[in-house]
Short mmCIF file of all heavy atoms in Angstrom, two decimals:
data_model
loop_
_atom_site.label_atom_id
_atom_site.label_comp_id
_atom_site.label_asym_id
_atom_site.label_seq_id
_atom_site.Cartn_x
_atom_site.Cartn_y
_atom_site.Cartn_z
N CYS A 10 2.78 -9.12 10.34
CA CYS A 10 3.73 -9.52 9.33
C CYS A 10 3.85 -11.06 9.36
O CYS A 10 3.27 -11.70 10.23
CB CYS A 10 5.08 -8.86 9.56
SG CYS A 10 5.92 -9.40 11.09
N ASP A 11 4.60 -11.63 8.45
CA ASP A 11 4.63 -13.10 8.33
C ASP A 11 5.17 -13.78 9.59
O ASP A 11 4.73 -14.87 9.94
CB ASP A 11 5.46 -13.52 7.12
CG ASP A 11 4.79 -13.10 5.82
OD1 ASP A 11 3.55 -12.91 5.83
OD2 ASP A 11 5.48 -12.95 4.81
N CYS A 12 6.12 -13.15 10.28
CA CYS A 12 6.69 -13.80 11.47
C CYS A 12 5.98 -13.36 12.74
O CYS A 12 6.22 -13.91 13.81
CB CYS A 12 8.19 -13.53 11.55
SG CYS A 12 8.59 -11.87 12.16
N GLY A 13 5.12 -12.37 12.66
CA GLY A 13 4.31 -11.98 13.80
C GLY A 13 4.91 -10.94 14.71
O GLY A 13 4.29 -10.56 15.71
N LYS A 14 6.11 -10.44 14.37
CA LYS A 14 6.74 -9.44 15.25
C LYS A 14 5.99 -8.12 15.21
O LYS A 14 5.82 -7.47 16.24
CB LYS A 14 8.20 -9.21 14.83
CG LYS A 14 9.16 -10.05 15.63
CD LYS A 14 10.60 -9.59 15.38
CE LYS A 14 11.55 -10.55 16.09
NZ LYS A 14 12.87 -10.55 15.50
N LEU A 15 5.63 -7.69 14.02
CA LEU A 15 4.86 -6.45 13.91
C LEU A 15 3.38 -6.81 13.82
O LEU A 15 2.97 -7.61 12.98
CB LEU A 15 5.28 -5.63 12.70
CG LEU A 15 4.61 -4.23 12.65
CD1 LEU A 15 5.55 -3.21 12.02
CD2 LEU A 15 3.28 -4.26 11.92
N VAL A 88 8.65 -4.68 6.68
CA VAL A 88 9.23 -4.99 7.98
C VAL A 88 10.61 -5.61 7.78
O VAL A 88 10.83 -6.37 6.86
CB VAL A 88 8.35 -5.94 8.81
CG1 VAL A 88 7.18 -5.19 9.42
CG2 VAL A 88 7.87 -7.12 7.99
N CYS A 90 12.07 -7.65 9.97
CA CYS A 90 12.14 -9.00 10.54
C CYS A 90 11.97 -10.09 9.48
O CYS A 90 12.80 -10.99 9.39
CB CYS A 90 11.09 -9.17 11.63
SG CYS A 90 9.48 -8.48 11.25
N CYS A 91 10.95 -10.03 8.66
CA CYS A 91 10.68 -11.12 7.72
C CYS A 91 10.51 -10.61 6.29
O CYS A 91 10.22 -11.40 5.40
CB CYS A 91 9.43 -11.89 8.15
SG CYS A 91 7.98 -10.86 8.29
N GLY A 92 10.67 -9.32 6.08
CA GLY A 92 10.64 -8.78 4.71
C GLY A 92 9.27 -8.45 4.16
O GLY A 92 9.17 -7.89 3.08
ZN1 ZN B 202 8.04 -10.17 10.55
#
Side-chain angles (χ1 to χ4, degrees):
C10 66
D11 293 337
C12 77
K14 265 192 185 156
L15 187 147
V88 283
C90 43
C91 57

